[in-house]
């Protein structure tokens, strides 16, 4: 009871060589042969050393494991050893609770396999062999896909070596963006599949089955046509929502392009220190409501330095109008601004803004869906990507995509032990 392990009792405890050594055994009881069921006779015991959850020092559990002999002449099972599934796996060297502890550390404490192996006093391979089957079992549980009503998708690069050696660099990640009873999004990673394409996303959606696809009502995505096609083909009942961050980013990028073009047209070179437009490049990327008085003065001075700079100022105002749609307290007011943006930007004489307007017209329904779905966005997906990047850095990179998928599913909430 003091040890907290079911099925065994403590015989002896001692400290030696910086270790806490706990000797345990199972209570004596009649045992039948697993092959024929006949009562067996004892062949003595053997010592089996197990790694347990560390405390102030490392802990070793020495299990005096019983050995048995079956006396039935026709039984193919002549000898065998006792097994205590609640203590350790049949051929394992790490206790079940140490495996559970390691999984918890990986999930909640940003730990690494190598760091945990060092605490247990074992090797990376030994610990991973104990942890991996548990993660595979959790990943194969289809119940983790239940009650997903809002789905996000994004891609990321998981390695930077030759794809011929390690396979595709890009992975497509699916994220559960379903809101809880308080209306908060609790994002969790659902899966990672190789490739960055609509086909990869569509294939994954097809594998989930009709029940999963019918329960998804909102599908958030970045402005990538491949993912939009997959949503249209596989999620008939879902509303596609274009991510707000990426829409605003398109507007900011358009202003940058206008600034660089006007810079070249007026001065004949790229921005340099002392150039009016170069000095306000960061101000042009900020929200108008966040500018200080000093920044506004600098912006005004830069725009008045040359009549050609009016084009940059108009582009900046367009980007601010686009941004303001998402900052309205009333969704109806935000939608009216967004509709005005879609209806007018494509007629702007500034080519970069006109191109932005044509893009928004192509994505009109997904762009305006933000205002009819309670501000749905792909922000939770980006948060999950941040967790993935953190754990990839902690592990100093990965060489095995299978291990990478399991670790990221666990770290990003996709697996719940």
């Amino acid at each position: 009871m003091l040890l907290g392990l079911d099925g065994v009792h403590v015989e002896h405890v001692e400290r030696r060589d910086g270790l806490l050594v706990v000797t345990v055994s199972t209570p004596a009881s009649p045992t039948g042969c697993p092959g024929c069921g006949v009562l067996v006779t004892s062949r003595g015991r053997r010592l089996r050393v197990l790694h347990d959850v560390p405390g102030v020092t490392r802990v070793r559990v020495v299990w005096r494991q019983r050995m048995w002999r079956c006396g039935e002449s026709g039984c193919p099972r002549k000898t065998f050893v006792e097994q205590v599934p609640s203590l350790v796996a049949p051929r394992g060297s790490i206790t079940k609770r140490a495996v559970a502890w390691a999984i918890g550390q990986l999930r909640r404490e940003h730990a690494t396999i190598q760091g945990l192996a060092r605490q247990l006093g074992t090797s990376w391979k030994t610990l991973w062999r104990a942890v991996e089957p548990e993660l595979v079992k959790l990943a194969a549980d289809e119940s983790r896909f239940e009650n997903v009503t809002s789905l996000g998708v994004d891609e990321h690069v998981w390695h930077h070596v030759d794809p011929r050696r390690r396979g595709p660099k890009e992975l497509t990640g699916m994220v559960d963006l379903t809101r809880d009873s308080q209306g908060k999004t609790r994002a969790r990673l659902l899966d990672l599949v190789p490739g960055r394409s609509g086909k990869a996303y569509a294939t994954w959606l097809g594998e989930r089955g009709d029940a999963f696809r019918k329960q998804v009502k909102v599908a958030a995505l970045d402005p990538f046509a491949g993912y939009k096609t997959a949503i249209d083909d596989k999620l008939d009942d879902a509303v596609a929502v274009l991510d707000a961050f990426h829409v605003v980013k398109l507007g900011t990028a358009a202003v940058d392009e206008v600034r660089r073009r006007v810079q070249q047209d007026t001065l004949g070179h790229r921005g340099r220190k002392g150039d009016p437009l170069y000095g306000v490049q960061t101000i042009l990327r900020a929200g108008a409501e966040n500018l200080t008085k000093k920044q506004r003065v600098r912006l005004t001075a830069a725009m008045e330095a040359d009549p050609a700079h009016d084009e940059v100022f108009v582009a900046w105002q367009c980007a601010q109008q686009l941004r303001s749609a998402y900052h309205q307290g009333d969704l109806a007011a935000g939608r009216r601004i967004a509709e005005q943006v879609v209806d007018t930007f494509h007629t702007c004489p500034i080519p970069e803004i006109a191109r932005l307007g044509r893009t928004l017209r192509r994505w009109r329904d997904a762009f305006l869906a933000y205002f009819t779905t309670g501000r749905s966005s792909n922000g939770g997906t980006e948060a999950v990507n941040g967790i993935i990047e953190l754990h990839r850095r902690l592990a100093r990179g990965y060489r095995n995509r299978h291990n990478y998928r399991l670790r990221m599913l666990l770290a990003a909430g996709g697996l719940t032990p």
Side-chain angles (χ1 to χ4, degrees), residues 385-401:
N385 275 344
I387 295 175
I388 290 175
E389 293 294 336
L390 170 63
H391 282 260
R392 189 176 66 189
R393 288 196 301 269
L394 289 173
R396 302 294 193 272
Y398 288 80
R399 292 177 293 178
N400 186 303
R401 185 168 56 83

PDB file of all heavy atoms in Angstrom, residues 385-401:
ATOM      1  N   ASN A 385      -0.003  25.198 -33.978  1.00  0.00           N
ATOM      2  CA  ASN A 385       1.262  25.213 -34.708  1.00  0.00           C
ATOM      3  C   ASN A 385       2.396  25.743 -33.837  1.00  0.00           C
ATOM      4  O   ASN A 385       3.547  25.294 -33.939  1.00  0.00           O
ATOM      5  CB  ASN A 385       1.147  26.073 -35.971  1.00  0.00           C
ATOM      6  CG  ASN A 385       0.585  25.293 -37.147  1.00  0.00           C
ATOM      7  OD1 ASN A 385       0.560  24.067 -37.125  1.00  0.00           O
ATOM      8  ND2 ASN A 385       0.124  25.996 -38.153  1.00  0.00           N
ATOM      9  N   GLY A 386       2.081  26.710 -32.969  1.00  0.00           N
ATOM     10  CA  GLY A 386       3.097  27.211 -32.051  1.00  0.00           C
ATOM     11  C   GLY A 386       3.569  26.140 -31.083  1.00  0.00           C
ATOM     12  O   GLY A 386       4.769  26.042 -30.778  1.00  0.00           O
ATOM     13  N   ILE A 387       2.637  25.324 -30.581  1.00  0.00           N
ATOM     14  CA  ILE A 387       3.006  24.217 -29.691  1.00  0.00           C
ATOM     15  C   ILE A 387       3.871  23.204 -30.439  1.00  0.00           C
ATOM     16  O   ILE A 387       4.866  22.691 -29.909  1.00  0.00           O
ATOM     17  CB  ILE A 387       1.747  23.544 -29.132  1.00  0.00           C
ATOM     18  CG1 ILE A 387       0.983  24.524 -28.235  1.00  0.00           C
ATOM     19  CG2 ILE A 387       2.101  22.274 -28.362  1.00  0.00           C
ATOM     20  CD1 ILE A 387      -0.342  23.993 -27.739  1.00  0.00           C
ATOM     21  N   ILE A 388       3.512  22.928 -31.685  1.00  0.00           N
ATOM     22  CA  ILE A 388       4.285  21.986 -32.495  1.00  0.00           C
ATOM     23  C   ILE A 388       5.715  22.491 -32.686  1.00  0.00           C
ATOM     24  O   ILE A 388       6.687  21.731 -32.544  1.00  0.00           O
ATOM     25  CB  ILE A 388       3.589  21.762 -33.847  1.00  0.00           C
ATOM     26  CG1 ILE A 388       2.289  20.965 -33.644  1.00  0.00           C
ATOM     27  CG2 ILE A 388       4.511  21.039 -34.820  1.00  0.00           C
ATOM     28  CD1 ILE A 388       1.472  20.810 -34.904  1.00  0.00           C
ATOM     29  N   GLU A 389       5.847  23.762 -33.014  1.00  0.00           N
ATOM     30  CA  GLU A 389       7.182  24.332 -33.221  1.00  0.00           C
ATOM     31  C   GLU A 389       8.002  24.271 -31.929  1.00  0.00           C
ATOM     32  O   GLU A 389       9.204  23.993 -31.956  1.00  0.00           O
ATOM     33  CB  GLU A 389       7.062  25.777 -33.693  1.00  0.00           C
ATOM     34  CG  GLU A 389       6.459  25.938 -35.089  1.00  0.00           C
ATOM     35  CD  GLU A 389       7.334  25.356 -36.178  1.00  0.00           C
ATOM     36  OE1 GLU A 389       8.557  25.252 -35.959  1.00  0.00           O
ATOM     37  OE2 GLU A 389       6.806  24.992 -37.236  1.00  0.00           O
ATOM     38  N   LEU A 390       7.367  24.531 -30.806  1.00  0.00           N
ATOM     39  CA  LEU A 390       8.073  24.468 -29.519  1.00  0.00           C
ATOM     40  C   LEU A 390       8.622  23.078 -29.272  1.00  0.00           C
ATOM     41  O   LEU A 390       9.805  22.906 -28.926  1.00  0.00           O
ATOM     42  CB  LEU A 390       7.132  24.881 -28.389  1.00  0.00           C
ATOM     43  CG  LEU A 390       7.641  24.633 -26.959  1.00  0.00           C
ATOM     44  CD1 LEU A 390       8.893  25.463 -26.691  1.00  0.00           C
ATOM     45  CD2 LEU A 390       6.557  24.935 -25.935  1.00  0.00           C
ATOM     46  N   HIS A 391       7.815  22.055 -29.432  1.00  0.00           N
ATOM     47  CA  HIS A 391       8.258  20.691 -29.135  1.00  0.00           C
ATOM     48  C   HIS A 391       9.263  20.184 -30.172  1.00  0.00           C
ATOM     49  O   HIS A 391      10.101  19.348 -29.843  1.00  0.00           O
ATOM     50  CB  HIS A 391       7.044  19.767 -29.047  1.00  0.00           C
ATOM     51  CG  HIS A 391       6.314  19.895 -27.747  1.00  0.00           C
ATOM     52  ND1 HIS A 391       6.471  18.998 -26.707  1.00  0.00           N
ATOM     53  CD2 HIS A 391       5.455  20.831 -27.288  1.00  0.00           C
ATOM     54  CE1 HIS A 391       5.731  19.375 -25.684  1.00  0.00           C
ATOM     55  NE2 HIS A 391       5.102  20.481 -26.012  1.00  0.00           N
ATOM     56  N   ARG A 392       9.170  20.670 -31.390  1.00  0.00           N
ATOM     57  CA  ARG A 392      10.184  20.276 -32.375  1.00  0.00           C
ATOM     58  C   ARG A 392      11.537  20.858 -32.003  1.00  0.00           C
ATOM     59  O   ARG A 392      12.579  20.206 -32.155  1.00  0.00           O
ATOM     60  CB  ARG A 392       9.760  20.726 -33.770  1.00  0.00           C
ATOM     61  CG  ARG A 392      10.643  20.160 -34.872  1.00  0.00           C
ATOM     62  CD  ARG A 392      10.139  20.537 -36.222  1.00  0.00           C
ATOM     63  NE  ARG A 392      10.221  21.973 -36.451  1.00  0.00           N
ATOM     64  CZ  ARG A 392       9.675  22.588 -37.498  1.00  0.00           C
ATOM     65  NH1 ARG A 392       8.972  21.891 -38.362  1.00  0.00           N
ATOM     66  NH2 ARG A 392       9.813  23.886 -37.652  1.00  0.00           N
ATOM     67  N   ARG A 393      11.542  22.090 -31.498  1.00  0.00           N
ATOM     68  CA  ARG A 393      12.804  22.702 -31.068  1.00  0.00           C
ATOM     69  C   ARG A 393      13.359  21.988 -29.835  1.00  0.00           C
ATOM     70  O   ARG A 393      14.571  21.768 -29.727  1.00  0.00           O
ATOM     71  CB  ARG A 393      12.598  24.188 -30.761  1.00  0.00           C
ATOM     72  CG  ARG A 393      12.389  25.049 -31.975  1.00  0.00           C
ATOM     73  CD  ARG A 393      12.586  26.522 -31.645  1.00  0.00           C
ATOM     74  NE  ARG A 393      11.666  26.965 -30.605  1.00  0.00           N
ATOM     75  CZ  ARG A 393      10.469  27.475 -30.830  1.00  0.00           C
ATOM     76  NH1 ARG A 393      10.020  27.571 -32.072  1.00  0.00           N
ATOM     77  NH2 ARG A 393       9.707  27.891 -29.828  1.00  0.00           N
ATOM     78  N   LEU A 394      12.499  21.641 -28.894  1.00  0.00           N
ATOM     79  CA  LEU A 394      12.963  20.967 -27.692  1.00  0.00           C
ATOM     80  C   LEU A 394      13.636  19.641 -28.023  1.00  0.00           C
ATOM     81  O   LEU A 394      14.619  19.249 -27.394  1.00  0.00           O
ATOM     82  CB  LEU A 394      11.783  20.721 -26.740  1.00  0.00           C
ATOM     83  CG  LEU A 394      11.191  21.952 -26.054  1.00  0.00           C
ATOM     84  CD1 LEU A 394       9.929  21.574 -25.294  1.00  0.00           C
ATOM     85  CD2 LEU A 394      12.199  22.585 -25.104  1.00  0.00           C
ATOM     86  N   ALA A 395      13.102  18.947 -29.013  1.00  0.00           N
ATOM     87  CA  ALA A 395      13.653  17.647 -29.400  1.00  0.00           C
ATOM     88  C   ALA A 395      14.814  17.757 -30.381  1.00  0.00           C
ATOM     89  O   ALA A 395      15.366  16.742 -30.797  1.00  0.00           O
ATOM     90  CB  ALA A 395      12.557  16.773 -30.006  1.00  0.00           C
ATOM     91  N   ARG A 396      15.177  18.988 -30.749  1.00  0.00           N
ATOM     92  CA  ARG A 396      16.265  19.222 -31.721  1.00  0.00           C
ATOM     93  C   ARG A 396      15.951  18.569 -33.068  1.00  0.00           C
ATOM     94  O   ARG A 396      16.834  18.057 -33.750  1.00  0.00           O
ATOM     95  CB  ARG A 396      17.602  18.694 -31.193  1.00  0.00           C
ATOM     96  CG  ARG A 396      18.052  19.279 -29.870  1.00  0.00           C
ATOM     97  CD  ARG A 396      18.375  20.760 -29.999  1.00  0.00           C
ATOM     98  NE  ARG A 396      19.093  21.258 -28.837  1.00  0.00           N
ATOM     99  CZ  ARG A 396      18.533  21.735 -27.744  1.00  0.00           C
ATOM    100  NH1 ARG A 396      17.205  21.773 -27.647  1.00  0.00           N
ATOM    101  NH2 ARG A 396      19.261  22.171 -26.730  1.00  0.00           N
ATOM    102  N   GLY A 397      14.663  18.568 -33.428  1.00  0.00           N
ATOM    103  CA  GLY A 397      14.271  18.002 -34.712  1.00  0.00           C
ATOM    104  C   GLY A 397      13.916  16.531 -34.618  1.00  0.00           C
ATOM    105  O   GLY A 397      14.202  15.858 -33.630  1.00  0.00           O
ATOM    106  N   TYR A 398      13.274  16.024 -35.675  1.00  0.00           N
ATOM    107  CA  TYR A 398      12.836  14.623 -35.734  1.00  0.00           C
ATOM    108  C   TYR A 398      13.290  14.001 -37.046  1.00  0.00           C
ATOM    109  O   TYR A 398      13.400  14.682 -38.064  1.00  0.00           O
ATOM    110  CB  TYR A 398      11.306  14.536 -35.646  1.00  0.00           C
ATOM    111  CG  TYR A 398      10.744  14.841 -34.284  1.00  0.00           C
ATOM    112  CD1 TYR A 398      10.599  16.156 -33.859  1.00  0.00           C
ATOM    113  CD2 TYR A 398      10.365  13.829 -33.425  1.00  0.00           C
ATOM    114  CE1 TYR A 398      10.077  16.444 -32.608  1.00  0.00           C
ATOM    115  CE2 TYR A 398       9.838  14.104 -32.166  1.00  0.00           C
ATOM    116  CZ  TYR A 398       9.701  15.419 -31.772  1.00  0.00           C
ATOM    117  OH  TYR A 398       9.182  15.700 -30.535  1.00  0.00           O
ATOM    118  N   ARG A 399      13.528  12.719 -36.994  1.00  0.00           N
ATOM    119  CA  ARG A 399      13.894  11.975 -38.198  1.00  0.00           C
ATOM    120  C   ARG A 399      12.821  10.988 -38.625  1.00  0.00           C
ATOM    121  O   ARG A 399      12.846  10.487 -39.744  1.00  0.00           O
ATOM    122  CB  ARG A 399      15.208  11.218 -37.969  1.00  0.00           C
ATOM    123  CG  ARG A 399      16.417  12.110 -37.812  1.00  0.00           C
ATOM    124  CD  ARG A 399      17.669  11.317 -37.527  1.00  0.00           C
ATOM    125  NE  ARG A 399      17.611  10.673 -36.219  1.00  0.00           N
ATOM    126  CZ  ARG A 399      18.549   9.882 -35.733  1.00  0.00           C
ATOM    127  NH1 ARG A 399      19.633   9.635 -36.453  1.00  0.00           N
ATOM    128  NH2 ARG A 399      18.437   9.349 -34.533  1.00  0.00           N
ATOM    129  N   ASN A 400      11.884  10.686 -37.733  1.00  0.00           N
ATOM    130  CA  ASN A 400      10.861   9.681 -37.998  1.00  0.00           C
ATOM    131  C   ASN A 400       9.491  10.348 -37.949  1.00  0.00           C
ATOM    132  O   ASN A 400       9.080  10.863 -36.914  1.00  0.00           O
ATOM    133  CB  ASN A 400      10.959   8.565 -36.944  1.00  0.00           C
ATOM    134  CG  ASN A 400      10.023   7.410 -37.223  1.00  0.00           C
ATOM    135  OD1 ASN A 400       8.826   7.601 -37.322  1.00  0.00           O
ATOM    136  ND2 ASN A 400      10.583   6.214 -37.334  1.00  0.00           N
ATOM    137  N   ARG A 401       8.763  10.342 -39.070  1.00  0.00           N
ATOM    138  CA  ARG A 401       7.467  11.026 -39.125  1.00  0.00           C
ATOM    139  C   ARG A 401       6.421  10.359 -38.245  1.00  0.00           C
ATOM    140  O   ARG A 401       5.541  11.018 -37.689  1.00  0.00           O
ATOM    141  CB  ARG A 401       6.966  11.090 -40.575  1.00  0.00           C
ATOM    142  CG  ARG A 401       5.675  11.890 -40.727  1.00  0.00           C
ATOM    143  CD  ARG A 401       5.372  12.170 -42.193  1.00  0.00           C
ATOM    144  NE  ARG A 401       5.315  10.974 -42.988  1.00  0.00           N
ATOM    145  CZ  ARG A 401       4.237  10.191 -43.080  1.00  0.00           C
ATOM    146  NH1 ARG A 401       3.152  10.481 -42.401  1.00  0.00           N
ATOM    147  NH2 ARG A 401       4.268   9.121 -43.851  1.00  0.00           N
TER     148      ARG A 401
END
